Amino acid sequence: MLDTPQAVLEALRENHDRTHGLHRTVTAEELVEAAEQVDEPGKPELLVTALLELMTAYEFTGEHRKSPVVFARLLKLWDTVPDSFSPYEAHQVFWRFKWVATSLIQVPEVPLATLDGWIDRMRERYEAAGHGMQPVAAMRFHVAAHTGTGVADAHDLWVTRPRTELSDCEACETRHLAWHRMSSGDDEAALDSWRPVLEGAQSCSEEPQMSQARALLPLLRTGRTDEARSHHLTGYRRVRGNTGMQEEVGLHLEFCALSRNEGRGLEILAENRALFETTGAPLNHLEFLTGVEALLARLAEDGHADTVVAGPPGRTWTAGTLLAHVRAEADGLATAFDARNGTTAVGERRRARLARRPVLDEPLPLGLRTSVTPGTPGTAPLPVPAPAAATQPPADFAELVREARRLAAEGHPSDERLWTRIDERLADGSATHDDRLGPEELLLAELAEQRATLHRTADDGDRFVAELERADELFSGLGMPWHALSVRARALAWGTEEHPDGQDGRAGRPDGAGAGAADDAAATSAGVAALREETERLKAEVPLTGEDPAAGETAAATAAGHDVGRERALRYLIVLNSLAYIAFQEAARHGREPEAAAQARFEESAGLLRAEAGRLAAPHQVAIARQYAADLAGRRGDFALAESELRAALRDIDAAGRPWRGSRPRCLLAQFLLGRGEPGEAAELLHQAIADAVRHDDTDFPFAPTYVLLGHATSHLGDGAGAVRHLSEAAARFDQAGEPGEATETRLQLADVLARSGRQADAVAVLESVLSDEAVAAPDERLTAQARLTLARGLRDLEEFLPAAEEFLRLAEAVAGWEDDREVHTLVAAEAAVTLAMAERHDAAAAAYERALASHAEAPNPPQVLNMVREFARLALLFRGDEGIDTALEHLTRADAILAAAEDVDAFPHWYEKGLIHYRRARVLADAQRFPEALAEAEAAVAAHDQGGEPGEAPRAEAVRIAALIEANGLDRPSDAVVRLTAAIARCRAAGLTEAVEILDALRQEYLAR
C-alpha cells in the first residue's frame, strides 16, 4: 500500500532501478498521484522527487509531448516552495531546461516562437542563478541545426564559450560536434571528432550507442568497414526495442540498406515493430520512418516489393504496401516540421537520405546469422564475385560453343558459365544446333558432362551418374570410345562419396579431380578391373596417335585447337586420374595407418598417372597425382613429404600454364603450415588461392572453408580485425550454401576471436544471432549448448547479469538430459549461481548454489564449484559490507573442504585453487581488520603459487601485492613491505611480467616515500 511517505519513497527507489519502458513510465505516473496524497501540507518533497522520476521516464522512452507539462509543474514548485528541493533536485531544475527545449524541437505543433521564447526564459533563469551561458548557446545551435538557419554562427557561439557544470556531458557534446562536421560534408573530420566516444574514452547513459549509429555512414563512405561492422553489432544491441532510440534504430536500418544487408534490416524491422506506434517524439519518429523507407525502397527497387515484412500491428504487410504507408506518414511529418520552421531543411535532409545509394558493391559480412529466407537479398555475399577480366559471352551461338570447348580443353573453370548459357539458350529456343559445330549428339554429350558437374557440386550423386551415363551413351554412338571410357571412369570414381579434405575437388572437369568413390568395395574392384582392361584394349585398337578419327573426335579436337591424338591423350589421363583417385580413397579410409596393400595400390596408380602425364606433356595431371600423395602423407603425419609434394605440384602447375589449378594445393599447403605454426606463409598462400579463384571464375572453389583457414592464420598473426573479416565472410558463405552446422561453428570461432580481442559486445551480438528464436540453431545440440554457454559468459562480462543468468537457466534446461556428461550440470548450476548473485537475485542465487553443490556430490567439477564458492565469499562483502564477513569466511571454509575432498583428482592444478582460497581469505580478514591473520593467509597464497612454476608467477605477484598492502597499511610496517616488494619485483622482472613489475614498483615507491 502506498499510504505512507516511506512506502512511496521505497516504491520510487524500486522504480528508479527498473529498465526504461512502459512499466516504469506507468508506475512513475501512479507514484506522482501517490506522492500528492502522502506529502505534508506545504512540503511537497515526495512530489518533487516523483515528478523528476516521471520526467526521466518520459525523456528516456521518447514521450517528448508530455515532458514539458511535467516540468511546468516542477518549475511552479521551484518558484513557490524551493526548500522542498534537495541540492541534487535543485540542480536538476536547471539541467532539465535543456530537456524541455529538446522536447519542444521534437513536436511540430509547437510554434518556433514558443521554442525561441523558452530558450530566452532559460537564459534569464541561468543569468539570475549565476550560471554560465554555454548550455543556452548549445540549445540555440540545436535549433539552428534543426531549422537550417544561421547554423555556422550558432555553432561558433556555442563552441567558443567555456563549458559549465550545466553543459551536456563531454560524450554528448562530442556527438553534436561530430554530427555537425559530418553534416557539413567532412566525414574524416567527423570521425576524428568521434574518436573519444567510439574508442570508449567518453561515455554516458546515451553514449556510445547514439554516436555509433550516426558514425555508420561516414565509416562506410571512408572504407572503414571493419569499424562499421563492429559499431553496428554493438550499437544496435544497445538501442534494440528502445522507444527512446527511434532515430538510432532508423540509422541502423539505413546502414543495412547501404551495406547491402537487407535481410538483416528485415530482422531489425521485426524486432522493432512497436516503434511504428511510438509517436511521442515526432521528430525521432520521422527519422525512424525514413530509415524504414530507405530499406523498403531498396527492396522494392531490387524486385522484392512482394516480400512479406513486419509493419504496424493489425495487418499483413509487404515491402511495397509498407513502403507506401511509411512514405505517406513520413512525408506528412516532414511537411509539418518545415511549415513550423519556415524552411525546407527537414524535408531536404530526408530527401538526401533517401537518395543515397548502396556504398558497397557486395554485402558487408556482419558475422550474424540471418533468419530470413535465402531468396531475400542481402542475406549473404555472392558465392563468387565476377572476375575482373570477365567478358560477355559471345552472342553468336556457334562462337559461344567454340569458346566453351576451348576453355574446357584447357580445364579453365570459366567454361562453366558458358556451358550453362548454351544449355539455357537451347532450352528457351533462342538458339538451335549449328552443323558447323559437328554432330548434334556431340554437343548434347558435352552438355550432359557439364550438368553432371553441377549435380556433383550440389552433392546429387544420382543425377551426377545419370548425366554421365547419358554422355557415355552419346559418345559411344559417335564412335568416341576414349571419351565414353573417361566419363565411365569419372562416374565410378566420383559418383557416390564425399570430398576428402584437401583433394582437388573438381568433379566433372576433363582434367580435374572430384569427390567420392563407389560404396561397395567389391563393385568398385570389379569396376576398376574393367576400366584397366578397357584402357589396355583401347590403347591397342584406338591409339593415342589419333588414327581413324570419328566425326565427333574431329569436331572436338578442331574446336579445342588440338589434334585427335591430343584429345584422346587427355581423356586417357582422365581415366588414369580416376583410377588414382579410387586408390587414394581406399588408402585414405584407413587414416594414419593405411593397409600396406591399399597403399601399394595407390602408389602404383598414382605412379602410373604421374609417369604417363609426364610422357604426354600434361604437368597439371602430374600435379594432381602429387596432391593425392601429399594428402595421404599429411593424414599419416609425414608433413615434410606432404609439403614437398605440394610445392612440387605448384611448380608443375606453373609449367602447365594453368594458374587456376593452384588454388587447392595452396589451401592444403596452408593447412600444413598452420599446423606447423607458420601462419605468415599460410596467410599469403590463402590470399593467393582466393584471388586466383576469383580471377579465373572458379565457382566450385571452396571459399567458405578457405576463409575459415584465413581467419585462423590472421588471428595467429595478431590481426584480429582481419580474422573477424574473414570468419564473417566464411559464416555468410556457409549460410548461403545451406550448411548451418559449419556456419555455427564458424560463428563460435568468430565470437572467440572477438572476445580475445577485447570486443566482448561484438561477440555477444554474434552469439545472440546464432541463438535467436527466429534462427535455426545448430543441428548439433552440444554445439548449441556451447554457444549458449559462451553467450552467457559474455553477457556476464558485459555486466548484463540478469540476461546472463537467464541464458544459464536456458542452458541448464538444454543439458538436463545429458546423462553421459553430468559434470556439465555442475558447471552450469555453479555459473548460474554466481551470475544470479551478481544480478542481486539473492534467493535464486542461493537455490542455484545448493543445486551446484548437490550436483557436485554426484558429478564432481572441483574447479567450477570452488570458483563459485570463492565468488560468493567476495560478493558477501561487496553487497553486505562488514555484515558479510562471517558469511564470506563460512564460504571459504567450505572451499577448503571441497579442495581437500578432491585431493586425489589430477584433472586440475591444486596449487592454483589452494592459492586462490588463501588469497580470498586474506582479503576478507583484512576487511575485518584482522591483519596478522590476513598476512598469514596472503603468505600462504604466495607459498601455494610457488608450487605452480612459471604459470604460478602472475597470481603469486598479486598475492605479494596484497601481503604488502596488509603489512604496510594494516600492520604499519612499510619497511617490511618494501623488502617484500623489492624481492618480488626482481622475480617478476626475471619472469617477464612487465605489468606486474610496474604495479609492484609503484607501490614500493609509495612506501619508500613515507
Side-chain angles (χ1 to χ4, degrees), residues 1-14 31-32 34-36 38 46-47 50:
M1 294 288 293
L2 298 176
D3 53 1
T4 67
Q6 186 61 34
V8 174
L9 185 60
E10 287 299 321
L12 283 168
R13 288 173 178 164
E14 181 181 350
L31 289 174
V32 168
E36 288 181 292
V38 301
L46 275 177
L47 178 59

Side-chain angles (χ1 to χ4, degrees), residues 517-825:
D519 288 330
D520 185 74
T524 300
S525 297
V528 167
L531 284 175
R532 291 187 184 281
E533 181 180 347
E534 182 69 4
T535 299
E536 293 305 315
R537 184 185 69 78
L538 285 181
K539 285 171 68 176
E541 297 179 6
V542 188
L544 301 179
T545 55
E547 298 170 13
D548 300 323
E553 286 183 309
T554 301
T558 301
H562 297 151
D563 59 27
V564 171
R566 182 62 176 166
E567 283 297 306
R568 289 177 179 175
L570 290 174
R571 291 288 176 161
Y572 165 60
L573 291 175
I574 290 174
V575 175
L576 297 185
N577 183 0
S578 302
L579 292 169
Y581 183 67
I582 293 169
F584 162 74
Q585 285 276 46
E586 181 187 9
R589 277 193 289 271
H590 298 285
R592 293 181 63 88
E593 298 180 2
E595 292 182 351
Q599 183 66 24
R601 282 191 289 272
F602 167 73
E603 291 176 358
E604 177 187 0
S605 297
L608 179 60
L609 172 60
R610 187 179 301 196
E612 288 294 86
R615 179 176 70 84
L616 296 170
H620 59 285
Q621 289 285 8
V622 177
I624 290 172
R626 292 188 187 279
Q627 286 172 247
Y628 295 153
D631 195 319
L632 287 178
R635 288 167 187 261
R636 64 173 182 262
D638 190 348
F639 299 116
L641 176 59
E643 180 180 350
S644 174
E645 288 284 16
L646 288 169
R647 293 192 187 279
L650 290 171
R651 290 193 294 271
D652 290 331
I653 289 166
D654 287 341
R658 300 187 177 198
W660 52 86
R661 303 291 304 163
S663 294
R664 289 165 179 76
R666 283 191 177 90
C667 291
L668 187 53
L669 178 56
Q671 282 183 273
F672 293 140
L673 291 174
L674 272 176
R676 202 170 67 190
E678 297 182 25
E681 186 182 359
E684 291 177 8
L685 288 165
L686 293 165
H687 276 299
Q688 186 174 351
I690 292 170
D692 283 346
V694 172
R695 183 178 303 113
H696 299 294
D697 200 16
D698 188 350
T699 56
D700 292 342
F701 180 74
F703 280 95
T706 304
Y707 275 113
V708 171
L709 285 176
L710 186 53
H712 292 166
T714 50
S715 177
H716 287 305
L717 289 169
D719 180 5
V724 169
R725 185 164 54 251
H726 301 315
L727 290 171
S728 298
E729 180 81 20
R733 291 181 182 277
F734 278 130
D735 280 341
Q736 194 175 57
E739 300 179 57
E742 288 79 359
T744 295
E745 287 190 42
T746 301
R747 288 191 170 94
L748 289 178
Q749 296 169 39
L750 171 60
D752 180 63
V753 168
L754 288 165
R756 285 189 287 107
S757 301
R759 294 162 58 184
Q760 190 64 263
D762 296 50
V764 164
V766 170
L767 290 166
E768 284 178 335
S769 80
V770 170
L771 296 166
S772 63
D773 291 338
E774 297 85 359
V776 178
D780 184 343
E781 66 172 3
R782 293 181 184 264
L783 199 58
T784 302
Q786 180 61 54
R788 198 170 295 285
L789 175 62
T790 308
L791 172 59
R793 288 171 171 170
L795 288 166
R796 188 173 61 201
D797 289 345
L798 293 176
E799 299 185 2
E800 297 181 28
F801 299 125
L802 195 54
E806 291 169 354
E807 287 298 332
F808 277 121
L809 295 177
R810 292 189 188 100
L811 179 59
E813 183 179 351
V815 304
W818 291 12
E819 296 299 330
D820 60 335
D821 204 1
R822 297 286 299 174
E823 65 269 17
V824 171
H825 299 180

Side-chain angles (χ1 to χ4, degrees), residues 193-209:
S193 296
W194 256 315
R195 184 177 294 114
V197 174
L198 297 182
E199 292 182 357
Q202 297 175 356
S203 64
C204 69
S205 62
E206 296 179 329
E207 291 293 352
Q209 58 266 35

